[in-house]
Amino acid sequence: MRHFLDFEKPLAELEGKVEELRRTTDAGGIDVAEEVARLRDKAEKLLAQTYARLTPWQKAQVARHPERPKCLDYVAGLIEEWTPLAGDRAFADDAAVIGGLGRFRGRAVAVLGTEKGTETESRVKHNFGMAKPEGYRKARRIMELAGRFGLPILSFVDTSGAFPGIEAEARGQAEAIARSIEAGLAAPVPFVATIIGEGGSGGAIALAAADRVLMLEHAIYSVISPEGCASILWRDAALAPTAAEALKLTAEDLKRLALIDLIIPEPLGGAHRDGAATVAAVGHAVEEALEPLLALDGPTLTARRREKFLEMGRGLPA
């Protein structure tokens, strides 16, 4: 069964009626094709109207949709000859961070991403996409490996943030994130990052300090989650919708602020309604973003990347 978000309840009722009528036709041979077509048309119009006016909080819900394509879906759909790499060569392997080598459109690349998992078992395995220090050290290792062998880096980011547990702090969480950002900025190869769901705080930018940062239409990217922001400012997580408005976390806001480079349109109703089309659209956008970067040498890439991030926020009102 399709998972419907709270604001999609009217749509769920309509689609439920359509499915009920279809079952009636299958069971009794009653011809209700005309009524099914009418309801389906009504549902499509309601879907378009609903998604044309999503609030930032509703976009956050769409970005977290459990059926939304995850990092490993993009790897499976876009990367050939995939060879995963494990471990940080210091402590352990972190399943929240996916890393490895493969071919994208025939070109050898290094791939990074955060994986949330799709059902209970895999979500627990991947720690719901929340990486620990060893995950960021693995990312740094792969970025340095890519630089050494001249491999472009592609990353697919979907995380609510770095793991906040005591053991992660004890193992140097902040330092590991900072070193991963440093490695991204210093990589002498093209680097294209895509925010495919949630881009949460330093846990996201650790894998997105890239030449080009792309973002799906209904993804979010923010220094803190709306719930976390509301809890800190007003001591009430229920005010998350208000915080989401203030955080400017939508793709449209971030493009307007020049914090990302491109918004990738999603299928009507969000990426979760057509995962294959979403993966294909991301692949096309990544290819277009990567192509002009391939003509630049290492020093030029790192210099431009440095300037790109230094320019962020300049000229904006205090």
Side-chain angles (χ1 to χ4, degrees):
M1 289 181 62
R2 176 172 288 156
H3 175 91
F4 287 93
L5 301 168
D6 289 344
F7 66 86
E8 293 179 313
K9 284 181 180 177
L11 187 63
E13 292 174 7
L14 267 177
E15 293 193 0
K17 288 179 182 177
V18 170
E19 188 57 36
E20 187 177 338
L21 282 172
R22 281 177 177 165
R23 285 199 298 268
T24 300
T25 302
D26 293 340
I30 304 171
D31 186 7
V32 290
E34 187 176 332
E35 180 65 10
V36 168
R38 186 186 70 80
L39 286 175
R40 188 189 297 116
D41 184 59
K42 187 176 179 181
E44 288 179 358
K45 288 179 180 177
L46 180 59
L47 180 65
Q49 291 168 0
T50 300
Y51 273 78
R53 56 172 187 261
L54 292 181
T55 66
W57 175 239
Q58 288 169 337
K59 290 221 172 198
Q61 292 176 275
V62 176
R64 297 167 174 172
H65 197 289
E67 295 166 14
R68 194 175 179 85
K70 304 298 190 295
C71 173
L72 286 173
D73 294 317
Y74 290 91
V75 170
L78 300 176
I79 307 300
E80 299 174 341
E81 299 179 31
W82 170 244
T83 302
L85 300 177
D88 65 345
R89 299 297 187 266
F91 183 79
D93 183 46
D94 186 347
V97 173
I98 303 301
L101 307 177
R103 291 189 179 276
F104 172 71
R105 305 290 198 263
R107 179 178 297 277
V109 294
V111 180
L112 291 167
T114 37
E115 171 64 31
K116 285 185 173 181
T118 54
E119 74 294 314
T120 301
E121 185 178 352
S122 66
R123 287 171 187 158
V124 171
K125 173 186 174 183
H126 295 290
N127 199 33
F128 302 88
M130 296 184 292
K132 299 174 183 177
E134 49 271 26
Y136 296 113
R137 291 179 180 131
K138 174 166 71 174
R140 177 188 175 190
R141 179 172 75 85
I142 291 173
M143 284 189 271
E144 290 175 349
L145 182 72
R148 198 172 304 128
F149 290 98
L151 302 175
I153 302 168
L154 308 181
S155 72
F156 302 96
V157 179
D158 185 16
T159 179
S160 58
F163 182 65
I166 293 175
E167 67 269 31
E169 296 297 332
R171 293 201 297 275
Q173 183 73 291
E175 182 268 348
I177 290 172
R179 294 290 186 186
S180 184
I181 295 171
E182 179 185 46
L185 292 173
V189 292
F191 187 177
V192 178
T194 308
I195 312 300
I196 58 173
E198 282 189 276
S201 192
I205 199 171
L207 274 67
D211 299 294
R212 295 288 182 271
V213 180
L214 319 182
M215 190 169 172
L216 278 169
E217 179 183 3
H218 300 310
I220 60 172
Y221 195 14
S222 176
V223 69
I224 191 172
S225 70
E227 296 92 335
C229 177
S231 297
I232 291 171
L233 291 183
W234 304 299
R235 300 182 185 278
D236 187 356
L239 292 173
T242 303
E245 292 277 353
L247 283 168
K248 306 297 181 189
L249 45 63
T250 69
E252 292 82 0
D253 287 328
L254 293 163
K255 183 69 170 68
R256 186 167 56 252
L257 295 169
L259 300 179
I260 64 168
D261 300 291
L262 178 73
I263 299 173
I264 305 171
E266 295 188 24
L268 180 61
H272 54 279
R273 282 185 171 259
D274 194 340
T278 303
V279 171
V282 167
H284 180 66
V286 168
E287 183 176 27
E288 285 199 338
L290 180 61
E291 193 62 34
L293 299 173
L294 296 170
L296 304 177
D297 60 23
T300 302
L301 286 166
T302 54
R304 287 189 177 187
R305 201 178 302 139
R306 173 184 171 83
E307 284 305 310
K308 171 189 174 72
F309 281 86
L310 286 175
E311 281 296 318
M312 289 181 179
R314 287 181 182 171
L316 295 176

